[in-house]
Amino acid sequence: MSSPMIVTIDGPAGVGKSTMAKKLADALGIAYLDTGAMFRSTAWRLGEGAWKWEAPRMVEELGWINFALSGSGSDTRLSLNGYMVGDEIRTEQVGMWASNVATMPPVRAFLKEAQIKLGAMYPLVAEGRDMGTVVFPNAERKFFLDASVDVRAKRRFDQLKEMGKPANLSELKAAIAKRDDQDRNRAVAPLRPADDAVIIDTSDLSKEHVFKALLDGIKG
Ligand code: C5P
C-alpha cells in the first residue's frame, strides 16, 4: 500500500506557516498538522522548567502523552490526551518553553514518532521546523517560508491582538529573535530548508501571493 501524500512547510517563528498550511489543506481537501502546536502543548502540559529534567524522567512523563487528529482542512483539530488544544499555548512565553524542550533528544524522538504515525494514517500538510529535513524526507512537495524578523514580529503582534492577548512589539521581536537563534543552532534537527525545498521569502508578499506561490509549487 502506498503511503498518504505529505506536503511540508517549514520556516521560522511567525512567518505564516499555520495560515498557509490551513489554506493549502483546504485547497487539497486534506488535514494539516501544526507540529509547533505539538511542541507547545507538550511543553505546556509538562510545565515550566521541564527542560531541566534528566532524560529518564522526561521519557517517563512523555509516555503519558498521546496526540490525535480529527477533521480536515482548516477545521482539522489536534488533541492531546483527548483535550482540544486551544489558544492557551499561543503566547510567546509558551513558544519559548516549546523551543527549550525542542532541544531535548527524548522530546524530539517522541514527537517525531507521533508525527510519522499521523502521516502514515492521513494525507497531510505538515508544518514546523524539520518536516522536510527529518520527519518527512520523502514528502511529495517541500516548502520553506522565510521573512525578516521585523516583518514576523509585526505579524505575530497583529495575530495576538486579534486574539485579544497582550502584546508588545519590541518585546516580541526580541523573543522571536532569541527563539529563532535557538531553533537554528540546536544540535538535533535544527531549522533549515531541505535541499529539495522550494524557498519563498514572504517579507514583501501578500498572503494571496504566498498562497499562489505554494499552489504553483504543488502543480509544478
Ligand atoms: O511554530 P511554533 O512557533 O508554534 O513552534 C514553537 C516551537 O516549537 C519552535 O520555536 C520550535 O522550537 C519548536 N518546533 C520544533 N520543530 C517543529 C515545530 C516546532 O522544534 N517541527
Side-chain angles (χ1 to χ4, degrees), residues 15-47:
V15 77
K17 300 183 297 294
S18 296
T19 308
M20 288 304 140
K22 284 180 201 173
K23 277 172 82 75
L24 198 54
D26 273 333
L28 298 172
I30 62 178
Y32 79 93
L33 182 64
D34 177 351
T35 61
M38 296 175 84
F39 280 90
R40 282 171 184 266
S41 51
T42 297
W44 183 74
R45 155 87 208 228
L46 297 174

Side-chain angles (χ1 to χ4, degrees), residues 116-182:
I116 288 173
K117 268 191 202 153
L118 291 170
M121 288 194 281
Y122 310 104
L124 290 176
V125 178
E127 59 108 335
R129 302 292 186 291
D130 58 344
M131 294 297 98
T133 49
V134 173
V135 178
F136 298 115
N138 299 320
E140 268 80 356
R141 282 284 182 279
K142 300 180 184 177
F143 297 99
F144 189 92
L145 303 185
D146 213 346
S148 71
V149 70
D150 284 301
V151 167
R152 292 184 285 119
K154 180 68 172 61
R155 285 182 191 160
R156 223 354 104 85
F157 177 80
D158 292 342
Q159 206 179 36
L160 289 170
K161 282 275 171 211
E162 219 177 278
M163 293 192 299
K165 296 207 179 295
N168 172 305
L169 189 58
S170 56
E171 279 174 21
L172 264 180
K173 189 180 159 189
I176 285 178
K178 184 173 171 205
R179 189 145 69 89
D180 274 359
D181 188 57
Q182 178 159 284

